[in-house]
Structures are given as structure tokens and as C-alpha cells.
């Protein structure tokens, strides 16, 4: 681990102890100075998680657009604000970007289904019901959905038939 990683770990420590201002400061220093694009991205994602600012999520996306996490969290935020068109656009881009080769804190194989789930909710609200229904059918045919989420996804599918 290079000494530059210390900025990341200091940011993480400050974040976990509730000193968010110092956490953001150290994560930004990490992202500006690291030699690891993956570490820089995760640092910027942590900034966005702290601030809950769409601008910070877009900074993370622009830094490393092939990563899915910022798309997922930003589209979830937009849906939570009833801004379904924005949720749709952001989650669709995340889906289209697909899996990348990163390994640092990367869990596409466990979490990629969430982008499809979020996008299907957005689709329902903006009138793109065939696309949303196709996402849910895709999810239910696969094995990516955790057992505790399957019933909810099945119920969402039923709402497309109403």
C-alpha cells in the first residue's frame, strides 16, 4: 500500500466516526493524488454517499464511468424523490455500461440486479411498461435476486398487468 492510500483510510476512519467534513476532505485528496483509478473512484463515491449530492455522484461517474455503483445510488435517489425520468436515464446508462474489470470493492455479480429493479420502477412511472416488464422477467429468470427480494419483484411484475 502506498502512502497515498493513507488519505483513503483516513477518510474512511473519519467517515466511520462521524466526522464527515474531514472524511470528505481526505477522500477528495485521495482521489486527486492516487495512482489507482479504482481507489480514486471509491473515494469519490464515498464523498457522494456522505453528501448525498447528485453533483458528487456525477463527479464519481465522470471519474470512472465503467463502475455501476454511482449509477445505482443516484438513480435510487432520484426515484425516491419521485424524479422517475432521471432515475430511468441514470439506471439505464448503468445497465448499458455493464460489468467492468475492476476488483476494488466491486460487487457487480451480487448487485447488478438492483439496477434492473430500479429501472423497472422508473419504467412503470414514466410509461415504459414493456421495457420495465422485460427487466422484471429477466430478473425472475435468473438467479441473481436474493431470496428475500424475489417476492417483491414478483409483486412488481403483477402491477404491470393491472
Amino acid at each position: 500500500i502506498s502512502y497515498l492510500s493513507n488519505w483513503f483510510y483516513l477518510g474512511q476512519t473519519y467517515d466511520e466516526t462521524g466526522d464527515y467534513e474531514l472524511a470528505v476532505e481526505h477522500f477528495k485528496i485521495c482521489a486527486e493524488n492516487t495512482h489507482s483509478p479504482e481507489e480514486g473512484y471509491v473515494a469519490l463515491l464515498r464523498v457522494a454517499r456522505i453528501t448525498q449530492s447528485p453533483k458528487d455522484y456525477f463527479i464519481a461517474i465522470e471519474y470512472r464511468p465503467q463502475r455501476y455503483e454511482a449509477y445505482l445510488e443516484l438513480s435510487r435517489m432520484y426515484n425516491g424523490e419521485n424524479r422517475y425520468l432521471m432515475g430511468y436515464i441514470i439506471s439505464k446508462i448503468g445497465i448499458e455500461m455493464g460489468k467492468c474489470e475492476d476488483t476494488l470493492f466491486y460487487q457487480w455479480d451480487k448487485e447488478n440486479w438492483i439496477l434492473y429493479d430500479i429501472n423497472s420502477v422508473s419504467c412503470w412511472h414514466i410509461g415504459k411498461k414493456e421495457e420495465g416488464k422485460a427487466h422484471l422477467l429477466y430478473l425472475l429468470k435468473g438467479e441473481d435476486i436474493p431470496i428475500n427480494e424475489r417476492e417483491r419483484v414478483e409483486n412488481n411484475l403483477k402491477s404491470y398487468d393491472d
Side-chain angles (χ1 to χ4, degrees), residues 141-155:
K141 287 180 185 173
E143 297 181 13
D144 294 335
I145 307 172
I147 293 169
N148 62 326
E149 296 285 346
R150 186 168 278 284
E151 184 178 342
R152 182 187 56 75
V153 171
E154 289 169 349
N155 287 334

Side-chain angles (χ1 to χ4, degrees), residues 8 27 37-47 67 104-105:
F8 180 87
F27 283 136
E38 292 179 53
E39 182 179 67
Y41 169 79
V42 173
L44 291 173
L45 180 63
R46 297 284 296 262
V47 168
R67 293 284 296 247
L104 185 66
F105 304 119

Side-chain angles (χ1 to χ4, degrees), residues 75-141:
S75 58
R76 181 183 280 154
M77 178 189 299
Y78 282 135
N79 278 5
E81 297 170 352
N82 299 321
R83 297 177 64 194
Y84 297 106
L85 179 60
M86 290 301 295
Y88 170 78
I89 291 167
I90 299 299
S91 59
K92 184 154 180 96
I93 294 169
I95 290 168
E96 290 176 2
M97 293 304 290
K99 184 176 183 176
C100 76
E101 299 302 315
D102 286 3
T103 57
L104 185 66
F105 304 119
Y106 191 70
Q107 298 196 15
W108 172 265
D109 294 334
K110 292 181 183 176
E111 296 180 344
N112 79 76
W113 69 273
I114 302 171
L115 274 169
Y116 289 90
D117 185 37
I118 290 169
N119 190 264
S120 72
V121 171
S122 299
C123 286
W124 193 89
H125 285 281
I126 66 169
K128 296 185 73 62
K129 294 191 177 185
E130 289 304 312
E131 183 178 344
K133 186 175 183 176
H135 286 320
L136 294 175
L137 290 169
Y138 167 77
L139 289 175
L140 291 169
K141 287 180 185 173

Side-chain angles (χ1 to χ4, degrees), residues 48 51-59 74 77-78 81 83:
T51 65
Q52 290 294 293
S53 165
K55 178 183 175 185
D56 288 330
Y57 279 108
F58 281 116
I59 290 170
L74 183 57
M77 178 189 299
Y78 282 135
E81 297 170 352
R83 297 177 64 194

